[in-house]
Amino acid sequence: MIESSDPSPERDAGTHSPLEGFSHYRGDDWSPERVVFHQNLEQFADRVGLIVALQGNGKISQEAAYDEIKQLWKLLRGSRTSLLD
């Protein structure tokens, strides 16, 4: 089997860097601000998923999970206000 040193998108389709978004913004109303907000929204979702998993496995309390998600929500809402309004 011949292996290339150049990674192809087909070969690495299931591998993502934690610093990269998982999807592309495909809205008709594309703008740089909307792309940034989309990335912020993805990051929010990823972090909420992690917090829920930690809480579900008993690593953090429900109260701590709620407080952390509430803080992340405030950051996302501020991002939306500054980028889209």
Side-chain angles (χ1 to χ4, degrees):
M1 179 163 138
I2 300 173
E3 292 189 24
S4 171
S5 62
D6 295 329
S8 67
E10 296 81 24
R11 184 185 319 219
D12 295 331
T15 306
H16 297 280
S17 165
L19 301 176
E20 294 181 47
F22 291 102
S23 65
H24 300 286
Y25 181 76
R26 290 181 169 76
D28 293 334
D29 53 351
W30 186 94
S31 71
E33 292 82 7
R34 289 193 177 275
V35 171
V36 170
F37 180 71
H38 178 77
Q39 291 170 343
N40 291 344
L41 188 59
E42 282 188 337
Q43 186 179 42
F44 171 80
D46 290 343
R47 288 182 176 184
V48 167
L50 177 62
I51 293 166
V52 169
L54 289 171
Q55 188 278 320
N57 287 317
K59 302 296 183 184
I60 61 174
S61 69
Q62 287 181 340
E63 292 78 15
Y66 174 82
D67 290 341
E68 185 67 26
I69 292 170
K70 186 176 179 180
Q71 182 62 31
L72 290 172
W73 177 253
K74 287 180 182 179
L75 291 172
L76 182 65
R77 189 174 21 180
S79 166
R80 182 185 181 275
T81 301
S82 67
L83 291 167
L84 302 179
D85 289 339

